[in-house]
Amino acid sequence: MKQFILVVGLILTATSVAAPKVLKYSEDAAPNNMDPTQSSVIYSNKIVTAVYDTLYEYKYLKVPYELKPRLAVDFPKVGKDGKTYTFKLRKGVYFIDDPCFKGGKGREVTAHDFVYSIKRHFDPKNTSQGAWLWTGKIVGLDDWKTKGADYKKEVEGLKALDNHTVQIKVTKPFPQLLYTLEMGYSAVVPHEAVKKYGKELSVRPVGSGPFKMISHNSKQTVLVRNPKYRKEVFDPVAEGYDPKVH
């Protein structure tokens, strides 16, 4: 079993066939809100990126930093004008089992979940700390907010073309877009969890990442391995291993 434990900090684990192992890693403060729209504090962001999926992440050892796909299958196709990005999402990725889902079984993550999660930042009632990343940059998103943030209404620049394809249109070339999709703010959240838990989502995250949270208080946060997480093999060379440095 793998565990994260936060004792006013973070505890990481390694996997062992014989017995579970726990590596304790302390921080200066505890995470205060694990809703991705509120993950501006580094302690919260560490938990958010462990329990939720983002489209991209950084290679573990690479310097200078370099992105790699996470929930995305690959890097996006970009239109000739540099303003239309098309992303393919992995199939067969599931949210953790949770009471918010029918029968308590986590369903498959779709492109619609990603669209919903970005829209949440522009819903005034969420008082998002991360909306600044995309304000004025995604076609129609600010206007969607101004007109009432109706989730049933489509945004021209933020669409799910099918269950596993996302299209983003930016107002002008924005090459930093991919880097925003690595940040915890862009984590993919199921609408069922938001509906069931409301503000309690801040301490009861429901994601599709490698870990799931089983307890949290001001002194300690415990994460365990997500048994439904996709199989991924760590490749040191692909992750930037340099024998002279490491």
Side-chain angles (χ1 to χ4, degrees):
M1 178 180 289
K2 290 184 178 180
Q3 291 186 324
F4 278 75
I5 302 176
L6 191 55
V7 184
V8 189
L10 193 60
I11 298 176
L12 310 174
T13 73
T15 302
S16 170
V17 174
K21 295 180 179 179
V22 179
L23 168 65
K24 296 183 178 182
Y25 178 75
S26 295
E27 291 282 10
D28 297 327
N32 59 1
N33 194 319
M34 287 156 280
D35 180 336
T37 65
Q38 307 297 319
S39 60
S40 61
V41 178
I42 189 171
Y43 313 115
S44 298
N45 189 66
K46 285 184 177 180
I47 301 299
V48 166
T49 53
V51 300
Y52 288 104
D53 259 321
T54 52
L55 265 59
Y56 295 95
E57 63 184 344
Y58 287 108
K59 292 184 177 181
Y60 190 62
L61 300 170
K62 191 71 174 179
V63 178
Y65 297 125
E66 186 176 315
L67 289 175
K68 67 173 185 177
R70 183 174 177 180
L71 184 57
V73 172
D74 204 341
F75 292 102
K77 291 183 178 179
V78 183
K80 292 182 180 180
D81 62 359
K83 295 194 293 185
T84 301
Y85 293 75
T86 305
F87 304 83
K88 287 289 186 180
L89 273 55
R90 292 174 185 260
K91 296 180 180 180
V93 175
Y94 290 84
F95 289 113
I96 60 170
D97 292 341
D98 188 271
C100 71
F101 298 112
K102 185 177 181 180
K105 297 293 183 180
R107 61 167 176 78
E108 186 177 21
V109 178
T110 72
H112 301 281
D113 295 309
F114 173 80
V115 170
Y116 170 76
S117 299
I118 300 300
K119 280 181 172 180
R120 289 188 70 231
H121 286 278
F122 288 77
D123 183 343
K125 71 173 181 286
N126 293 326
T127 58
S128 168
Q129 297 173 353
W132 60 272
L133 285 169
W134 305 290
T135 296
K137 296 181 174 70
I138 296 179
V139 176
L141 192 51
D142 295 88
D143 191 48
W144 177 83
K145 174 183 178 179
T146 301
K147 291 182 177 179
D150 183 349
Y151 288 90
K152 294 180 180 179
K153 291 185 178 180
E154 201 171 65
V155 174
E156 181 183 348
L158 182 63
K159 295 181 180 179
L161 301 184
D162 58 42
N163 280 345
H164 299 96
T165 308
V166 171
Q167 183 185 81
I168 297 178
K169 293 182 180 180
V170 292
T171 54
K172 60 182 179 181
F174 179 42
Q176 297 88 353
L177 177 64
L178 268 63
Y179 295 92
T180 73
L181 303 182
E182 176 277 337
M183 299 174 71
Y185 289 129
S186 69
V188 181
V189 179
H191 66 86
E192 294 94 334
V194 176
K195 181 178 180 180
K196 182 173 180 63
Y197 300 122
K199 291 185 177 181
E200 191 183 343
L201 187 71
S202 65
V203 293
R204 187 160 181 167
V206 179
S208 58
F211 296 91
K212 64 178 181 178
M213 193 175 80
I214 59 171
S215 69
H216 168 73
N217 57 44
S218 61
K219 293 183 178 180
Q220 175 175 288
T221 299
V222 181
L223 309 186
V224 297
R225 178 178 177 272
N226 174 7
K228 299 174 70 173
Y229 192 68
R230 54 194 175 271
K231 182 178 180 180
E232 292 187 351
V233 178
F234 183 79
D235 182 341
V237 175
E239 293 290 332
Y241 174 74
D242 182 344
K244 295 180 180 179
V245 177
H246 304 112

